[in-house]
Amino acid sequence: MNKTININLANTFFHIDEDAYLKLQRYLEAIKRSFTDSQGKSEIIADIEARIAELFSERVQHDRQVITTKEVDEIITIMGQPEDYLVDEEIFEDEPKSRKETHNKSTKQLYRDTDHKYIGGVCAGLSHYVNIDALWTRLLFILIALLSFGTGILIYILLWILVPEASTTAQKIAMTGEPVNISNIEKKIKEGFDEVSEKVKNVDYEKVGQSVKKNSKSFFDSILSVIMFLFKVVAKFIGIIVLILSATVLIGLFIGLFTAGTIDIWGHQPWREFIDVTVSAPVWLISLLGFFAIGVPFFFLFYLGLKILVTNLKSIGSFAKFSLMGVWLLSVIGLIVLGVRTATEYSFEATATESQLIPITSADTLEIKIVEADNLKNRYYRDSDFDIAMDGDTKLIYSEDMRFTIKPSQNNEIHLEIEKHSQGSNYKDAFERAENIQYTFKTENNTLILNNYLTTNYSNKFRDQEVDVTVFVPENMFVKLHHSTKHRISSSIKNNMNYYTNDMANHTWKMDEIGVLNCMDCPVATENKEDKDDESEDEDENDKDEDEIEKTKTEVNQQKETLPKKKN
């Protein structure tokens, strides 16, 4: 059991055990002794402590984690021992002495360089990141702004907002890709003092240095650096698109989840009844599973966009990643189970049949009409496969899935056969739902009036209910189809005109002995009759011509016989 101590390091609070604290204390005191006579000692020590606090923060996973000697040893390895560096003024002479490197060069991080900025330091920071001169990045942004009608300005503003500023010495060193250790922190601060001093002495010194630096770059190296920069800019732009898209989807899913779960508190919503009557699962459960099944992948896309834009973004941790993956997998499995369960509700189909005589004699002309519902006008959905309607206080499922056909009667009786179809999880369930379909018709004089709709109780659920009506009429009976039947005639009706079903309305038909309807008032039939009359007249004229030719031949033969024969 170790004793723990609370420390404040660079205004950051840490828990550290006693052994690690003593080791860290000795390390910091040794560093302070090394910088006894150094210029800018307080700034150097402050930046070193800030860097150590930053490294500790990267290793602490939660607020209650205690820093041990292991973490302290790792920090000392990164920062280096004080005796490894020459911290006197000699290291800043023209020919610095060699020093022992304690670790490899660190990875560059993207920051805005506000020390060399014109506007926000974005171009200067990018120039450090891709290792090219800041002039090239500034020219590139100007070129993009001119060619893309302002898109370059938008990209610059987004980078200005998203890329952090290099405010501390450690961040400025990390921006250039150099190791953030004691030597480089001291050197950076010393350079700051020297830079101020030189600027006072000679204002043009920086311009000369920049000119020499630009001339030292080869042309091909600069071109290569520009190409690499363009690739990185494209990657950042893709990251912005991914970030915006995923954030939009996540916000929509979040709003949809709470809307589906709580909207009935504020008022009645018919779309929920539409789901309840078709899917065998609660709306809130479907919404929750759909939220996680769609939301988790887009959350990872959102995180990917952040990683593209922010290089030093912290990881969300393995526990969070695997937890989200588990929730997503359970949600997908749940949706699959609900989908299979709903599909089984439509797996069987059954038919219930009703038959009834029509009190109309075969000598009369049977007229067929289609009428709409008079008392079911207030329906939720007008153009869907079915509607939810109210008949007084009774909630009904309303559907216009109805067709009728005409067939020859075998017993010279006019009768009606109504076939009610429905689906279900098994045959018995489907048959019961089919029997519960309500469909009515009526007769007035010699007119058969059929409803264009069917209804069933809301508790029966929607299972693709439909009605097929067959009108059986005797041979030689006339049937007149009212114009209201235009969109309800079945394609199974046979007619001698080869009319499509919509064209059979507004005409009178006669049933023949083989079950084909013959049109009595179709314009094409009249034209055919006239054509046949013309053909018969032509045949009569041809017959007369042939008779006259035969008669002429007979008269010529008789005249030849009356002539005197020639003697030999």
Side-chain angles (χ1 to χ4, degrees), residues 61-111:
Q61 300 296 325
H62 53 83
D63 295 337
R64 301 182 65 85
Q65 182 176 338
V66 177
I67 296 173
T68 63
T69 54
K70 177 184 177 183
E71 285 79 15
V72 173
D73 290 337
E74 291 178 357
I75 300 307
I76 294 175
T77 302
I78 294 173
M79 299 296 295
Q81 295 288 345
E83 58 268 19
D84 294 335
Y85 303 92
L86 296 176
V87 292
D88 53 6
E89 297 294 332
E90 295 180 359
I91 63 173
F92 298 101
E93 296 177 358
D94 293 336
E95 295 181 0
K97 298 180 180 180
S98 61
R99 62 184 64 189
K100 180 180 178 182
E101 295 292 340
T102 58
H103 56 86
N104 294 329
K105 192 174 183 180
S106 63
T107 305
K108 287 185 181 180
Q109 296 182 8
L110 180 60
Y111 291 99

Side-chain angles (χ1 to χ4, degrees), residues 419-518:
E419 294 182 351
K420 304 175 182 179
H421 307 281
S422 181
Q423 295 176 342
S425 58
N426 53 62
Y427 183 80
K428 180 181 178 182
D429 178 52
F431 185 77
E432 290 177 354
R433 295 180 192 275
E435 282 189 323
N436 291 329
I437 294 174
Q438 301 170 7
Y439 181 80
T440 58
F441 67 95
K442 62 181 179 179
T443 57
E444 293 180 357
N445 297 326
N446 64 333
T447 303
L448 173 63
I449 302 174
L450 302 173
N451 288 336
N452 75 328
Y453 65 94
L454 63 96
T455 59
T456 187
N457 195 278
Y458 182 82
S459 60
N460 293 323
K461 306 292 185 180
F462 174 75
R463 293 298 179 265
D464 200 17
Q465 289 91 342
E466 61 181 31
V467 168
D468 290 327
V469 178
T470 303
V471 182
F472 291 91
V473 297
E475 182 184 347
N476 296 325
M477 184 176 183
F478 294 94
V479 180
K480 182 178 180 181
L481 299 179
H482 192 260
H483 66 84
S484 59
T485 63
K486 186 173 183 179
H487 300 293
R488 300 295 170 182
I489 303 173
S490 174
S491 59
S492 62
I493 295 181
K494 300 178 181 179
N495 64 89
N496 67 324
M497 305 305 299
N498 292 324
Y499 275 3
Y500 292 108
T501 55
N502 293 345
D503 297 328
M504 295 182 66
N506 292 321
H507 293 295
T508 301
W509 304 83
K510 180 180 179 182
M511 178 65 71
D512 64 10
E513 68 278 1
I514 60 174
V516 177
L517 292 177
N518 294 272

Side-chain angles (χ1 to χ4, degrees), residues 281-452:
V283 176
W284 66 266
L285 180 60
I286 299 173
S287 302
L288 186 64
L289 294 177
F291 174 79
F292 286 114
I294 301 173
V296 171
F298 277 96
F299 172 78
F300 281 110
L301 282 177
F302 180 80
Y303 181 72
L304 176 63
L306 285 177
K307 290 286 287 184
I308 294 174
L309 295 175
V310 183
T311 308
N312 52 347
L313 183 68
K314 288 186 177 181
S315 175
I316 62 175
S318 299
F319 178 77
K321 291 178 182 178
F322 287 112
S323 298
L324 288 174
M325 288 296 296
V327 171
W328 175 80
L329 186 61
L330 290 176
S331 300
V332 171
I333 293 174
L335 288 177
I336 293 174
V337 171
L338 291 180
V340 172
R341 181 181 175 184
T342 302
T344 57
E345 295 289 332
Y346 296 81
S347 56
F348 288 85
E349 183 175 353
T351 302
T353 304
E354 297 179 4
S355 183
Q356 187 171 343
L357 291 174
I358 301 176
I360 298 176
T361 62
S362 59
D364 297 328
T365 298
L366 175 65
E367 184 176 4
I368 301 177
K369 289 185 178 180
I370 300 291
V371 295
E372 296 181 354
D374 294 329
N375 59 337
L376 298 176
K377 296 295 185 182
N378 187 18
R379 305 195 296 271
Y380 295 168
Y381 302 96
R382 303 292 300 194
D383 298 321
S384 60
D385 292 337
F386 71 94
D387 299 337
I388 298 174
M390 296 298 297
D391 185 10
D393 296 332
T394 305
K395 188 184 297 184
L396 301 174
I397 296 175
Y398 172 97
S399 175
E400 294 183 356
D401 198 350
M402 172 268 173
R403 292 289 184 273
F404 79 92
T405 186
I406 302 173
K407 292 183 179 181
S409 176
Q410 303 299 326
N411 53 9
N412 291 326
E413 292 180 346
I414 305 173
H415 64 280
L416 205 66
E417 186 176 275
I418 302 173
E419 294 182 351
K420 304 175 182 179
H421 307 281
S422 181
Q423 295 176 342
S425 58
N426 53 62
Y427 183 80
K428 180 181 178 182
D429 178 52
F431 185 77
E432 290 177 354
R433 295 180 192 275
E435 282 189 323
N436 291 329
I437 294 174
Q438 301 170 7
Y439 181 80
T440 58
F441 67 95
K442 62 181 179 179
T443 57
E444 293 180 357
N445 297 326
N446 64 333
T447 303
L448 173 63
I449 302 174
L450 302 173
N451 288 336
N452 75 328

Side-chain angles (χ1 to χ4, degrees), residues 24-239:
L24 179 63
Q25 188 179 37
R26 290 193 298 270
Y27 179 70
L28 291 176
E29 289 176 354
I31 293 175
K32 290 179 182 179
R33 288 194 299 270
S34 300
F35 294 102
T36 302
D37 300 326
S38 298
Q39 186 181 11
K41 172 187 174 182
S42 58
E43 289 84 358
I44 295 173
I45 298 300
D47 281 327
I48 291 174
E49 290 181 353
R51 176 57 179 167
I52 293 174
E54 181 182 351
L55 294 174
F56 277 152
S57 298
E58 293 177 356
R59 286 157 176 77
V60 174
Q61 300 296 325
H62 53 83
D63 295 337
R64 301 182 65 85
Q65 182 176 338
V66 177
I67 296 173
T68 63
T69 54
K70 177 184 177 183
E71 285 79 15
V72 173
D73 290 337
E74 291 178 357
I75 300 307
I76 294 175
T77 302
I78 294 173
M79 299 296 295
Q81 295 288 345
E83 58 268 19
D84 294 335
Y85 303 92
L86 296 176
V87 292
D88 53 6
E89 297 294 332
E90 295 180 359
I91 63 173
F92 298 101
E93 296 177 358
D94 293 336
E95 295 181 0
K97 298 180 180 180
S98 61
R99 62 184 64 189
K100 180 180 178 182
E101 295 292 340
T102 58
H103 56 86
N104 294 329
K105 192 174 183 180
S106 63
T107 305
K108 287 185 181 180
Q109 296 182 8
L110 180 60
Y111 291 99
R112 289 186 291 110
D113 186 1
T114 54
D115 293 337
H116 303 89
K117 68 178 182 179
Y118 278 102
I119 301 175
V122 174
C123 293
L126 287 172
S127 66
H128 291 298
Y129 192 73
V130 297
N131 196 27
I132 63 173
D133 191 80
L135 177 64
W136 290 99
T137 57
R138 293 186 176 106
L139 291 176
L140 181 62
F141 267 102
I142 295 173
L143 185 63
I144 293 175
L146 293 175
L147 297 180
S148 60
F149 305 100
T151 305
I153 299 175
L154 178 61
I155 295 174
Y156 188 92
I157 294 173
L158 289 174
L159 291 174
W160 194 354
I161 296 172
L162 297 174
V163 177
E165 174 188 353
S167 56
T168 66
T169 304
Q171 290 174 342
K172 293 177 181 179
I173 295 173
M175 178 175 62
T176 60
E178 297 180 0
V180 185
N181 51 31
I182 298 173
S183 176
N184 287 329
I185 290 175
E186 181 195 12
K187 180 180 178 181
K188 189 69 176 178
I189 293 175
K190 285 280 189 176
E191 286 178 350
F193 283 110
D194 294 341
E195 185 178 357
V196 172
S197 176
E198 289 296 328
K199 284 184 178 180
V200 173
K201 295 178 181 178
N202 188 1
V203 178
D204 296 329
Y205 177 81
E206 183 181 4
K207 294 181 180 180
V208 175
Q210 291 293 333
S211 177
V212 173
K213 182 179 178 181
K214 285 186 285 186
N215 293 332
S216 64
K217 287 280 185 180
S218 67
F219 176 78
F220 293 103
D221 289 342
S222 300
I223 293 296
L224 181 61
S225 300
V226 169
I227 293 174
M228 294 302 298
F229 169 73
L230 288 175
F231 277 116
K232 292 179 181 179
V233 169
V234 171
K236 295 291 184 181
F237 185 72
I238 293 174

